[in-house]
Amino acid sequence: MGMISVNLFLTRGARKKGRLAYYRRFAPGFKQWTMMKEMLNELVKYQRIETTLPRAKELQQYAEEIVFVAKKNTPYHDSVIESIVTSPEARRILYERLVPRYKDRAFHVTRVVNQWRYRLRDTAPMAYLEYVDRPGELRPANPVGAARVQHVAAEFLATRRGRRKHAGEMSRILSKPGTPPLDTSVADRCRVECQKYGLKALPE
């Protein structure tokens, strides 16, 4: 066995049994899953947590999954949520706040922000994990739904660069059947600009 294989073998055994491998103590799998559940409860309740970068990336998949599963709104999926999110307060926040907030956002409801600093006691890289589309987030997320249409229209009418960048998307918005979520004057200006580029600006 080579050096890499030996390291992987020793680390796997230490992770399975909760023992020390070189300088790092690994927790067994059942303890790691308990830690993930506790961190997930804190994330749902406070909407942002600070942890190490590897833990944030590991926790992000579960934070995305609970919102995706909670949208299903069936007894089976509710039981799945109850097995993952153990705190009643966190479950209430999930169903009352997060599910309505992300009804138009299919995925990417969380964000990992690398702090580019290291914890002093063990030099672990630190990061933030937070839910997007809420007051006080670290930076605004890309809008979705009607807010996306209004954002595209504002960028489209602001500058020539914006018209070149969003011409195709603006044409698709105006070509959809129904009335776009825009003021009549703004929609008319967008149609005029799309016609200048030779794009379709009326619904079929």
Side-chain angles (χ1 to χ4, degrees):
M1 297 175 66
M3 183 183 68
I4 297 178
S5 301
V6 170
N7 289 339
L8 291 176
F9 180 78
L10 293 176
T11 305
R12 183 176 58 184
R15 186 183 298 275
K16 186 179 299 183
K17 300 175 183 178
R19 294 178 180 174
L20 192 68
Y22 303 106
Y23 60 90
R24 179 179 174 185
R25 179 174 294 279
F26 288 95
F30 69 93
K31 288 187 178 180
Q32 290 180 358
W33 181 227
T34 303
M35 177 188 67
M36 283 293 161
K37 286 184 177 181
E38 293 173 355
M39 293 176 65
L40 193 58
N41 288 331
E42 296 296 317
L43 176 62
V44 173
K45 285 192 286 188
Y46 300 109
Q47 303 290 291
R48 180 198 297 161
I49 60 171
E50 181 182 13
T51 183
T52 61
L53 184 60
R55 285 182 181 177
K57 291 181 178 180
E58 178 73 17
L59 184 63
Q60 186 181 24
Q61 59 182 329
Y62 303 115
E64 297 268 351
E65 182 182 359
I66 60 172
V67 176
F68 179 79
V69 173
K71 287 181 182 180
K72 303 292 185 181
N73 196 22
T74 64
Y76 168 74
H77 293 98
D78 291 345
S79 66
V80 172
I81 292 297
E82 190 172 356
S83 67
I84 299 176
V85 184
T86 56
S87 170
E89 181 184 359
R91 288 198 297 270
R92 181 179 59 81
I93 293 173
L94 173 64
Y95 283 104
E96 293 182 0
R97 298 184 191 176
L98 300 189
V99 172
R101 183 194 301 170
Y102 301 125
K103 62 181 179 180
D104 294 327
R105 192 178 289 277
F107 42 79
H108 296 164
V109 300
T110 59
R111 175 192 295 124
V112 174
V113 180
N114 193 343
Q115 297 186 27
W116 299 106
R117 73 176 183 87
Y118 297 91
R119 193 161 56 188
L120 292 178
R121 61 185 174 89
D122 57 358
T123 66
M126 302 300 294
Y128 289 113
L129 175 61
E130 67 171 359
Y131 281 104
V132 301
D133 292 342
R134 62 178 183 82
E137 59 180 330
L138 295 176
R139 63 172 181 267
N142 291 329
V144 294
R148 174 65 184 177
V149 175
Q150 296 169 3
H151 170 74
V152 170
E155 293 290 325
F156 181 71
L157 297 175
T159 60
R160 287 183 295 177
R161 177 178 294 179
R163 285 190 282 277
R164 289 194 300 268
K165 180 179 179 181
H166 298 288
E169 186 174 0
M170 196 72 243
S171 175
R172 290 192 296 272
I173 291 171
L174 296 174
S175 301
K176 291 180 179 179
T179 305
L182 298 170
D183 294 337
T184 306
S185 59
V186 174
D188 292 340
R189 289 176 58 195
C190 291
R191 288 191 180 94
V192 171
E193 294 295 335
C194 284
Q195 289 171 358
K196 291 180 181 179
Y197 285 90
L199 298 173
K200 185 170 61 174
L202 293 173
E204 297 178 354

